[in-house]
Amino acid sequence: MNKPKNKSESKYFATAARMDEAFLELIEQKDFAYITVKEICAKAGVNRSTFYLHYETVGDLLAETAEHLITQFVEYMGADPATFIARIGERPLEELYLITPEYLTTYLSYVKEHRRIFKATVEHAATLQMVDAYRDLTRYVFIPILDRFGVPAADQSYVMRYHISGLMAIVDEWLRGDCEDSIEHIIAVIQRCVKRR
């Protein structure tokens, strides 16, 4: 009895993976705004009803792809995120500045490598509503770090929004220029903007 169910689930996920691949190929060739369901289906070898079984809109596919990239990024970092999170309370404060060249080089290299999808994500951030994708990162990483720096709980959401918005604005501007400026230059800009006490 379980065998058909597993086979069916496997087929469902394999179809979704084909559509993801088709979407990634298309976004490398053209802007997100010009990608249609028809093109995705043709490239993935599926019909429109299959697309709508998985997604309501192309924006849903973009959101799923962006969330997948966030998960992949953690693996790309090479560090064990669980160990980092568990040790936040005992790490020296210098290691908790997430704007060091060590962290930023890895992050910016990943963004540059996947710039088309990140650019589409930034351009459609409001409609994608990707709050859930960052909720755990906020709860388990940013808030404990702000606690270590003595930021009062009542101020943490403001401080976090300020820093994340600023960082994203710089990355957004870099993406608009197709990541032409060097990663080293962008790191220097970020570090000049975020002054330590």
Side-chain angles (χ1 to χ4, degrees), residues 59-119:
D60 291 339
L61 179 53
L62 173 62
E64 179 184 277
T65 304
E67 284 185 41
H68 177 67
L69 284 179
I70 292 167
T71 304
Q72 258 189 345
F73 173 66
V74 172
E75 295 168 12
Y76 181 87
M77 286 289 285
D80 176 12
T83 302
F84 177 87
I85 291 166
R87 293 190 54 227
I88 285 175
E90 61 193 54
R91 285 180 177 272
L93 288 180
E94 276 302 306
E95 289 183 20
L96 297 180
Y97 282 103
L98 300 181
I99 59 157
T100 62
E102 174 194 3
Y103 290 110
L104 287 177
T105 300
T106 306
Y107 171 67
L108 293 171
S109 297
Y110 191 78
V111 168
K112 185 173 184 174
E113 183 181 334
H114 302 283
R115 62 185 168 273
R116 299 284 301 213
I117 195 80
F118 276 103
K119 186 176 180 187

Side-chain angles (χ1 to χ4, degrees), residues 16 29 33 39 46-47 60 64 78 84 91 98 116 121 128 139 141 152 156 158-159 165 169:
Q29 300 163 10
E39 288 175 304
V46 300
N47 59 40
D60 291 339
E64 179 184 277
F84 177 87
R91 285 180 177 272
L98 300 181
R116 299 284 301 213
T121 302
L128 290 177
R139 183 183 307 138
V141 179
Q156 288 179 357
Y158 296 108
V159 171
S165 295

Side-chain angles (χ1 to χ4, degrees), residues 67 70 125-126 128-138 161:
E67 284 185 41
I70 292 167
L128 290 177
Q129 300 175 354
M130 290 186 61
V131 176
D132 290 343
Y134 295 100
R135 190 168 284 141
D136 285 346
L137 195 60
T138 298
R161 177 64 66 96

